[in-house]
Amino acid sequence: MSEVSKWPAINPFHWGYNGTVSHVVGENGSIKLNLKDNKEQVEFDEFVNKYVPTLKNGAQFKLSPYLFTGILQTLYLNAADFSKKFPVFYGREIVKFSDNGVCTADWLMDSWKKDYKLDQSTMGFDKKKFGEDEKETHPEGWPRLQPRTRYLKDNELENVREVDLPLVVILHGLAGGSHEPIIRSLAENLSRSGRFQVVVLNTRGCARSKITTRNLFTAYHTMDIREFLQREKERYPNRKLYAVGCSFGATMLGNYLGEEGDKSPLSAAATLCNPWDLLLSALRMTEDWWSKTLFSKNIAQFLTRTVQVNMGELGVPNGSRPDHPPTVKNPSYYMFTPENLIKAKSFKSSLEFDELYTAPALGFPNAMEYYKAASSISRVDTIRVPTLVINSRDDPVVGPDQPYSIVEKNPRVLYCRTDLGGHLAYLDKDNNSWATKAIAEFFTKFDELVV
């Protein structure tokens, strides 16, 4: 009997569109939060019950009656045309890190809706002017960006840096980026109140970014989050910082929070559809028929394309250039070869990808050992930042069999379990995401009321 068969499979015939939120609080209770005005203290779960009605214990929500299972929700989110939804504009910054690597930060630019004459009814805008500005700012040799995204001019970047509103940093899913519908939905909802500055931190090599070192992102890859947040905290020491991670970005955020403990500059955090135990998720994606057939191959091919478009950098032998000193003394680190790329193009699961690339690069003998070591569940007990967790029991990628009892034991973590929603979707009849609205409501009330 395989490991995954010990737990319940996602049942495609378990259906519905009237969802319910359930708070799961462990034996250690819930941390007390200090409120601003009356200096009263309120427990974390009671704060959500009282001030965030969308997420209160027992709250109900309605999803699309046409997307009545988690599988349908997830498939539609990944396959439907959302080009006329969530019309956010992004200004891109190339962020350089201490190891000479880079990622990109896509800053939400609400003012550009007016500058480029966005028509909310048709989603049309002045594409000629936008194209001229895009051409002027685009760095040579970098890939063309997604719609409504361009690089910032020097003066625009300075203006972004002068904003001292509370900042929300969004971390996307595996091989995704700021262009994903769920990320655009989240960014739009967070910006709607005008209370926050919002930025999406695109992981190295994702969202048409370039890789400039021989390091692919992994679940261990928390150094960029750490450096970026520290940079922003140094810029405005007194403003609040928040972060929200989606799927694999939630894993990276969970690992960062656990590693940092009390040192994190974040005031609060949220995770959506985190695969807390990567080993269980990998087993589900390779052995559960529905998950394997409908989702696993697409994820593997997304990852393979990331390698393919960056082969010019990844294929350079380690240590052959002065700006690429050896970092891993392991012959298998020379895995970025044309032969391996051909092999990877036939992969049907992310496990195969991690077996060939990720695990050897980190010095693990195989992907399973990497998953065991890199799961955020092993660091949840040292999280010291109030953290809202949302996971659905009908998530075909994460599954219902995660060890949530460990999550519940940390009083700083509030686990909101939903019975419906799929993986990152939670789409209602208008294809808006209930989850992104709920997360935005949580951060708004937290920032407004908590010291």
Side-chain angles (χ1 to χ4, degrees), residues 369-393:
E369 292 301 316
Y370 157 60
Y371 294 146
K372 290 178 183 177
S375 294
S376 55
I377 196 68
S378 62
R379 295 167 189 83
V380 71
D381 60 333
T382 52
I383 291 176
R384 294 294 178 265
V385 171
T387 302
L388 178 79
V389 170
I390 301 176
N391 278 87
S392 173
R393 284 192 57 78

Side-chain angles (χ1 to χ4, degrees), residues 17-21 53-62 419 434:
Y17 53 89
N18 293 312
T20 303
V21 179
T54 305
L55 285 169
K56 71 179 181 180
N57 190 34
Q60 295 187 327
F61 56 92
K62 286 187 178 294
D419 51 349
W434 168 87

Side-chain angles (χ1 to χ4, degrees), residues 87-95 103-113 115-116 130 133-134 137-139 145-161 167 178-179 184 187 197-202 207 209 228 231:
V88 296
F89 284 90
Y90 292 118
R92 176 161 294 192
E93 173 193 9
I94 298 175
V95 182
C103 76
T104 56
D106 285 347
W107 297 89
L108 195 72
M109 305 296 289
D110 266 342
S111 63
W112 286 2
K113 291 182 178 180
D115 295 344
Y116 293 114
F130 188 88
D133 290 338
E134 182 181 28
T137 57
H138 201 93
L145 300 186
Q146 300 281 356
R148 295 189 297 273
T149 304
R150 68 166 175 81
Y151 288 90
L152 291 163
K153 301 176 184 178
D154 290 341
N155 66 306
E156 292 171 333
L157 182 56
E158 287 303 314
N159 290 338
V160 164
R161 290 172 176 170
L167 175 66
S178 61
H179 59 283
R184 289 189 287 123
Q197 187 177 36
V198 180
V199 63
V200 182
L201 194 64
N202 296 307
S209 301
F228 185 80
R231 186 193 79 168

Side-chain angles (χ1 to χ4, degrees), residues 235-255:
R235 184 168 291 156
Y236 293 106
N238 295 322
R239 78 166 170 178
K240 287 186 176 181
L241 299 179
Y242 302 100
V244 51
C246 299
S247 192
F248 195 78
T251 297
M252 295 168 68
L253 179 58
N255 281 333

Side-chain angles (χ1 to χ4, degrees), residues 4 13 24 36 123 125 163 174 181 187 191 196 211 247-248 251-252 279 291 312 329 353 373 383 391 404 408 417 451:
V4 78
F13 304 107
V24 185
K36 288 180 179 178
M123 302 305 169
F125 61 98
V163 176
L174 196 61
S191 69
F196 301 112
I211 289 177
S247 192
F248 195 78
T251 297
M252 295 168 68
L279 179 59
S291 300
K329 295 179 181 179
F353 179 93
I383 291 176
N391 278 87
Y404 293 117
E408 298 159 21
R417 180 181 63 199
V451 175

